[in-house]
Amino acid sequence: MPNEQLNQRSQQTESQKGKLSLAITVGALVGGILVLAKNDNARTRLKETSASTKNSVSQYVSDVKADPSGAKNDLVDRIQKTASITKEALNKIQEILDTQGKDIAEKAQEVKEESQDIVSTAKDAGEELKDVGDKVKEAKDELTESAEDEAAATTSPSTTSKDDDDDINDPTVAKGPVN
């Protein structure tokens, strides 16, 4: 039973593909006809091209009928010349690829090595910057601790007499040595 369903689905898919390709072909033909119907230049070019092709084919057929072996030899010669020219072109392309390919591979290797150097240098710089950041943090902590120690020393309760308290408000009196 499942095999029959699979076959039916396959046939439906093939049928849909056939309909789609037919629709595309018909659409292309209709589009071409509309272009030819509306465009005088396109019609003229089509007529000229068709006439030229017809004349070329007619001339070739008459040449082959007149001298079949000569036409065959001429065709074989042209094919051999074309094959020779194509072979030369392919050899030249291969030669270019070989020389340029080596240059490209060398340049790619150089770029790879330079990229690795750049990455290594960037990592080193990052580590050095981290060390600098640690030193800056340490300096900040030291300044913060010093400021806290000074603040604690100036605000700590003292066992002073009433006269010393009056001196605190007097800006001309300094506690401790003056340098």
Side-chain angles (χ1 to χ4, degrees):
M1 191 62 111
N3 234 2
E4 289 178 14
Q5 290 176 348
L6 185 62
N7 287 337
Q8 287 176 350
R9 287 183 185 159
S10 176
Q11 288 174 353
Q12 288 174 349
T13 304
E14 288 177 16
S15 173
Q16 289 172 348
K17 286 180 183 178
K19 289 178 184 177
L20 179 63
S21 62
L22 178 64
I24 290 173
T25 304
V26 169
L29 287 173
V30 169
I33 290 170
L34 287 175
V35 167
L36 290 175
K38 290 186 175 184
N39 192 339
D40 290 336
N41 288 337
R43 279 196 309 267
T44 304
R45 265 185 291 151
L46 181 64
K47 286 179 186 177
E48 290 172 357
T49 304
S50 298
S52 174
T53 303
K54 178 185 172 194
N55 290 338
S56 296
V57 169
S58 296
Q59 181 64 37
Y60 185 73
V61 168
S62 64
D63 289 346
V64 168
K65 283 182 181 178
D67 185 17
S69 62
K72 177 188 135 204
N73 291 339
D74 183 45
L75 182 62
V76 169
D77 287 344
R78 287 177 32 201
I79 291 172
Q80 287 175 345
K81 287 179 183 176
T82 303
S84 174
I85 292 169
T86 304
K87 185 176 179 180
E88 288 175 18
L90 288 174
N91 287 338
K92 184 66 177 175
I93 290 171
Q94 186 63 45
E95 180 182 315
I96 290 170
L97 288 175
D98 288 344
T99 58
Q100 297 300 324
K102 289 177 185 175
D103 290 345
I104 291 171
E106 290 172 5
K107 295 292 183 188
Q109 185 63 31
E110 289 175 15
V111 168
K112 179 182 174 186
E113 290 170 0
E114 288 176 10
S115 297
Q116 289 172 344
D117 290 345
I118 290 170
V119 168
S120 175
T121 303
K123 284 181 181 178
D124 292 344
E127 291 172 4
E128 290 176 13
L129 287 174
K130 183 179 176 191
D131 291 343
V132 169
D134 292 343
K135 293 289 184 186
V136 168
K137 184 178 177 188
E138 188 178 313
K140 176 188 165 202
D141 292 343
E142 185 63 32
L143 285 174
T144 305
E145 288 175 10
S146 296
E148 288 174 357
D149 290 345
E150 285 180 20
T154 58
T155 60
S156 65
S158 61
T159 55
T160 58
S161 65
K162 176 84 172 122
D163 291 337
D164 285 344
D165 287 341
D166 290 338
D167 291 341
I168 291 174
N169 294 327
D170 186 5
T172 59
V173 177
K175 290 185 175 182
V178 176
N179 294 342

